[in-house]
Amino acid sequence: MADYIAPIKDMSFVLNELAGLREVCELPRFEESSDDLISAVLEEAGKFAGGVLAPLNVFGDLNGAACADNAVQQTEGFAEAYQQFVDGGWVALPCNPEYGGMGLPESVGIAAMEMWNSANISFALCPLLGQGAIGAIEAHASEDLKNTYLEKMISGEWTGSMNLTEPQAGSDLAAVRSKAVPEGDHYLISGTKIFITWGDHQMTDNIVHLVLARTPDAPEGVRGISLFVVPKFLVNKDGALGDRNDVFAVSVEHKMGIHASPTCVMSFGDNRGAIGYLVGEENKGLAYMFTMMNHARLNVGVQGVALSERAYQQAADYARERVQGIAPGDAEKGAIIRHPDIRRMLMLMRSLTEASRALCYVSSSSFDMAHHGVDDEQRKLALARGELLTPLAKAWSTEVSQEVTSLGVQIHGGMGFIEETGAAQYLRDARITTIYEGTTGIQANDLISRKLIRDNGLELQRLLADIRATQAEVLAQGEEMAVIAESLNRGADSLEEAGTWLLAHYLDNPQLPGAVAVNFLMAAGTLVGGWLMARAALVAKSRLAEDENFYGAKIITARFYAEQIMPRVAAYVQAAESGSDTTMALADEQF
Ligand SMILES: Cc1cc2nc3c(=O)[nH]c(=O)nc-3n(C[C@H](O)[C@H](O)[C@H](O)COP(=O)(O)OP(=O)(O)OC[C@H]3O[C@@H](n4cnc5c(N)ncnc54)[C@H](O)[C@@H]3O)c2cc1C
């Protein structure tokens, strides 16, 4: 099995040249974030990923978390790795310095997340959700709750979990039934939550659960959901841990992948009620949870990138080593990397991985600007861009990871199907990423309803204008990049046509938006990926003399993407524009 090598050079390139990190670091909030500091942080995060987390990955796959007597026992070795993670101050990386955070941009945090997820997605899920919980408490909770919980969560001394899902309430959170009954300065929470990631473990003294529940007189539906902080152990006024709260993990799921990440059934209030503290105001819980979900959605997009990267590294290694047959044009037997079809697969893997990385980092830096920009206009535009890109980053990057990790198996031939090589684990682990934090279908609905229709296509038009500006620059580079310019031209025209078509037709029948949404999202994701690859190629061309190996490969990878992936944009658009009639034509019983 190949070692994990953190692709820091490409990450730094994307952060600096595509995601505008330098501009972000000029904002007052990030004035301490020097180039040197960020480089050192990424180096160290990569070393931690390769040296501590990666060696536990297969072991965790084979020895998943278990639950006995209402307590989860995490995989052996994870507690020690987590302690090292805490000692390194890694949870704090993008967090607010007011509560002990390092205060680096979120986009740097997301690059570190990529490396930890590449090395060991099961482990990385724990801080991923913890950071989301920190964000929700910081943005919406009272000073008292912030003072009680944030420092310990940011130091990593306590972890966080996110408790939305119930047996009858998955994508449809309006169906949440857990109860919250007021009692003095707190509430008593009861109900069952399922699929709760890292809902319990023994790695820390306390776990801070963020829980969605309904108060007794709450209105029906999403307008009646409130958000609560429910600690595993209550916290005394002096900050010391008090009584065990009435919340327990009753079992963990047996899953297709991410075996070392405990996916728990959580029972709240089986005895007298779990003590919970209201975050913000009653009935606004879902809006607050969106703070956490947007963070988590981007980070799940990055999990897709991370597994694509890991699968690519392993496949490239195998292709260099495995000798099989004489490749066309060669005189003697050689490694399979000489076969054009293996090259095609490696190029697909490489270019999709780089494009999805660029999409996720650019989305994340939009939020750095949206949250910390110095003027209103700058913040407003960055927010609109970040919000448009988030469903693409989440859904497209994770859909792409299905293709890339599957190609990774294919390149290994029969050995890819054999667990020993590790290629299959990446495919199995990647499978959940298109499902949790809102499935691809849910992301696509969000893209169409909240991002396209709500502003009548305005932000999409702005994005298309940026894509066309890049296209003009690429065209001016001459023959070497002509194929890239042409692909952007066609792709932008196709997506514009699809957006206009959707805005004109979405009211035609109630099924239409849902029937075409995923094809529209895939078209948009593919095009934005191509745009960012084109921008990468422009920078690479201007720097070619500095490092021909790295920048030369960037240009070739962008050209491959333009030739072999960009044609998908028009195909997705054509599928979308076929509308909903045929999709909906069979009766339910005919399936
Ligand atoms: C390993 C794992 C970890 C998880 N971690 C957590 C966690 O930490 N916290 C937490 O709260 N939850 C967690 N979840 C739950 C996860 O977020 C849900 O599984 C997910 O939101 C989908 O809900 P569901 O499983 O009920 O599927 P359903 O909602 O039943 O969906 C089934 C299918 O119907 C489609 N569908 C449903 N509604 C619509 C719609 N309106 N439009 C179009 N298509 C639709 C879906 O796209 C999907 O394909 C986890 C799940 C797993 C498996």
Side-chain angles (χ1 to χ4, degrees), residues 108-321:
V108 175
I110 223 158
M113 267 295 169
E114 184 197 314
M115 296 186 262
W116 302 326
N117 275 291
S118 270
N120 193 325
I121 181 177
S122 287
F123 180 96
L125 267 161
C126 189
L128 187 161
L129 288 164
Q131 282 181 355
I134 289 165
I137 293 176
E138 191 183 336
H140 306 295
S142 64
E143 286 307 311
D144 196 28
L145 284 180
K146 286 191 213 177
N147 290 333
T148 307
Y149 293 98
L150 280 182
E151 250 179 61
K152 296 255 196 254
M153 293 175 80
I154 288 175
S155 69
E157 201 175 327
W158 299 346
T159 62
S161 83
M162 169 156 137
N163 295 248
L164 288 72
T165 308
E166 298 178 8
Q168 77 296 342
S171 302
D172 179 15
L173 290 171
V176 159
R177 279 193 211 136
S178 289
K179 288 201 190 93
V181 178
E183 185 192 68
D185 69 344
H186 57 257
Y187 291 69
L188 289 180
I189 314 287
S190 57
T192 301
K193 296 284 178 182
I194 61 167
F195 296 158
I196 306 308
T197 299
W198 286 101
D200 193 42
H201 57 81
Q202 316 305 318
M203 304 193 301
T204 55
D205 293 342
N206 208 0
I207 302 173
V208 182
H209 306 291
L210 281 187
V211 185
L212 290 183
R214 286 179 189 284
T215 52
D217 304 321
E220 290 288 299
V222 289
R223 287 177 205 286
I225 298 176
S226 303
L227 180 64
F228 299 88
V229 166
V230 183
K232 178 174 173 179
F233 283 91
L234 299 174
V235 183
N236 297 333
K237 284 269 174 269
D238 63 359
L241 291 186
D243 292 342
R244 179 74 165 84
N245 206 356
D246 189 7
V247 45
F248 294 92
V250 293
S251 61
V252 291
E253 306 293 349
H254 296 281
K255 311 189 292 288
M256 178 177 178
I258 59 168
H259 293 154
S261 165
T263 304
C264 307
V265 175
M266 302 295 294
S267 191
F268 292 80
D270 272 358
N271 303 307
R272 71 169 295 270
I275 292 180
Y277 306 95
L278 181 68
V279 174
E281 293 172 38
E282 282 186 8
N283 301 331
K284 295 201 173 159
L286 202 64
Y288 300 154
M289 208 62 161
F290 263 102
T291 306
M292 188 162 169
M293 285 199 287
N294 277 333
H295 173 277
R297 283 175 176 180
L298 271 185
N299 275 279
V300 171
V302 166
Q303 292 190 316
V305 179
L307 290 166
S308 294
E309 172 66 38
R310 189 83 198 267
Y312 168 70
Q313 289 189 15
Q314 160 116 12
D317 248 48
Y318 189 78
R320 274 190 289 262
E321 281 164 20

